[in-house]
Amino acid sequence: MNEAAVLSGSGRSLLGQQKRLPWRAGPKIENIRRGEDLWILVLGDILVGFGICLDFCQRLGETPYRALDVDLVLVPSLGNDATMSGHAAVAQDLHINRGSRCFVVQGAEPTLEGFDGYVLPPENPRSTAAKCFRQAGFRAHFTSFHPSPT
């Protein structure tokens, strides 16, 4: 399973967004149990959506993200410059069409010397998205947290 855990400020599990689309390279296909739900977290008057990697950066065919009318989309990912470029393009589309902001944190695959991944900040993607994966200031070192099953 490929799932993003969403935790409260005290570390309590709120939800788990399961990846919907498996990654494939030639005959190889990611072995995941496909999620069917798209969670929206309501925080007062703010709506937060969640995507995982290919689910969010996929621009071909129908995806739920083009119609998603939320304030913020949080996206964990793993990939390369092309993957982050796809995330940036979808983030720009959402910003233009819906006024949404997107925050993407992507581990580098393959591993790149000098940094662990990429960050697409939730600023106006018109000004930052096209440059974010090329500028060293947006490359990040980070660790991941995996909650224990309860």
Side-chain angles (χ1 to χ4, degrees), residues 77-78 105-108 115-119 138-144:
S77 182
L78 180 67
V105 177
Q106 176 180 300
F115 72 101
D116 299 313
Y118 311 80
V119 174
F138 287 105
R139 293 181 174 185
H141 294 279
F142 55 87
T143 59
S144 60

Side-chain angles (χ1 to χ4, degrees), residues 11-147:
R12 184 175 55 87
S13 179
L14 297 176
L15 62 96
Q17 178 64 59
Q18 291 181 336
K19 188 173 180 187
R20 300 163 57 89
L21 298 174
W23 172 84
R24 76 176 65 219
K28 287 183 163 183
I29 186 165
E30 182 180 24
N31 184 20
I32 64 169
R33 185 175 66 214
R34 290 174 151 203
E36 296 179 6
D37 298 320
L38 181 57
W39 289 91
I40 306 295
L41 186 61
V42 179
L43 300 171
D45 60 351
I46 297 172
L47 300 177
V48 181
F50 304 92
I52 299 178
C53 200
L54 181 62
D55 291 358
F56 186 76
C57 72
Q58 176 69 23
R59 297 187 81 200
L60 302 174
E62 290 300 314
T63 72
Y65 292 98
R66 286 192 209 118
L68 196 59
D69 192 5
V70 297
D71 300 292
L72 176 66
V73 182
L74 301 175
V75 184
S77 182
L78 180 67
N80 56 24
D81 283 354
T83 309
M84 183 52 98
S85 182
H87 289 314
V90 173
Q92 184 173 357
D93 290 347
L94 277 172
H95 184 74
I96 291 168
N97 297 327
R98 302 284 186 186
S100 299
R101 305 279 183 179
C102 301
F103 182 58
V104 180
V105 177
Q106 176 180 300
E109 180 62 34
T111 303
L112 300 172
E113 189 167 329
F115 72 101
D116 299 313
Y118 311 80
V119 174
L120 175 64
E123 299 166 0
N124 181 346
R126 286 178 148 175
S127 63
T128 62
K131 301 178 218 165
C132 75
F133 59 91
R134 293 190 186 102
Q135 295 178 352
F138 287 105
R139 293 181 174 185
H141 294 279
F142 55 87
T143 59
S144 60
F145 170 75
H146 303 281

